[in-house]
Amino acid sequence: MVNHATADRIRLIAPTTELHDAFLDCAFEFGDGHRDGFATDSISDDDLVDPERFAAWVALRASYADEATELPPDRVHDTLSWIVDERDPERILGSISCRHRLNDFLLNVGGHIGYGVRPSARRRGVATAALRLALEQAKTLGLQRVLVTCKNDNIASARTIERNGGVLEDVRESPDHGTVRRYWIDLAQGD
């Protein structure tokens, strides 16, 4: 059940060094698990803690949104945002990444949009609202359809995607990522 009061207050903000401690609090709430949508795969937790390295990472992630930035061959341009509630905008609830296009890995496993909501903020409609906002970002990028994926056993994420218009295309096995549900969302619907 989506908490509409919460959903109406959810905002996506650009990562900023001013929220370094809030980001660490959010990211480390996941423990040793993978942080979907956080784009922290290229930086160690020790580097995230260091203010200078964190600032360099924030700047690097901002550059990924700029289509003029030359990226490594295995990367695509993406817009990284942090999820906040406008009532407490200095507490980060999660992170979401809107990829501008798909490479082979993203087509098969990762999708256009990846997101993660900190465990203490789940079951309140945060992910559903954040995904809705990321779909608006995708529209501004000119995307007509987006692929959103989740682990087959992640029922909450599957429901989040379905609430945002996701239509299941298939369920695939990935050697490194287990069983993945692949949903397409038509952005032209309702226009």
Side-chain angles (χ1 to χ4, degrees):
M1 172 71 81
V2 176
N3 180 333
H4 292 287
T6 299
D8 292 341
R9 295 188 302 260
I10 297 302
R11 302 289 177 261
L12 302 183
I13 64 168
T16 174
T17 56
E18 293 173 14
L19 294 177
H20 185 198
D21 289 338
F23 177 79
L24 294 176
D25 186 55
C26 177
F28 293 159
E29 190 174 311
F30 286 84
D32 292 333
H34 178 72
R35 302 176 198 117
D36 288 323
F38 277 72
T40 55
D41 59 327
S42 63
I43 185 170
S44 72
D45 286 352
D46 288 340
D47 286 345
L48 281 175
V49 172
D50 179 89
E52 288 181 16
R53 291 184 181 135
F54 178 77
W57 175 77
V58 167
L60 177 68
R61 294 307 310 158
S63 75
Y64 273 43
D66 181 354
E67 292 286 334
T69 300
E70 197 167 317
L71 301 179
D74 63 331
R75 298 290 175 167
V76 299
H77 291 96
D78 72 297
T79 302
L80 181 66
S81 302
W82 291 343
I83 306 165
V84 298
D85 183 322
E86 68 183 19
R87 291 178 309 167
D88 188 8
E90 294 189 11
R91 180 174 187 258
I92 298 170
L93 303 178
S95 186
I96 195 161
S97 176
C98 181
R99 293 126 188 169
H100 301 189
R101 67 191 51 80
L102 299 175
N103 59 20
D104 287 341
F105 169 77
L106 295 173
L107 178 62
N108 288 302
V109 178
H112 283 98
I113 299 173
Y115 56 88
V117 173
R118 68 190 302 164
S120 63
R122 293 178 182 161
R123 301 182 60 94
R124 296 186 298 172
V126 172
T128 300
L131 179 54
R132 185 185 73 243
L133 294 169
L135 292 171
E136 290 302 318
Q137 283 182 342
K139 280 184 186 179
T140 67
L141 294 169
L143 297 174
Q144 309 256 324
R145 287 178 36 172
V146 297
L147 177 67
V148 186
T149 69
C150 66
K151 298 266 187 188
N152 191 47
D153 61 355
N154 189 340
I155 302 305
S157 191
R159 287 186 181 143
T160 293
I161 298 165
E162 291 165 0
R163 283 187 196 110
N164 278 284
V167 176
L168 182 65
E169 178 177 70
D170 61 20
V171 178
R172 294 185 179 181
E173 290 296 325
S174 167
D176 299 324
H177 296 86
T179 308
V180 178
R181 297 175 69 87
R182 297 174 66 255
Y183 292 87
W184 286 96
I185 300 174
D186 183 357
L187 298 181
Q189 231 173 8
D191 283 351

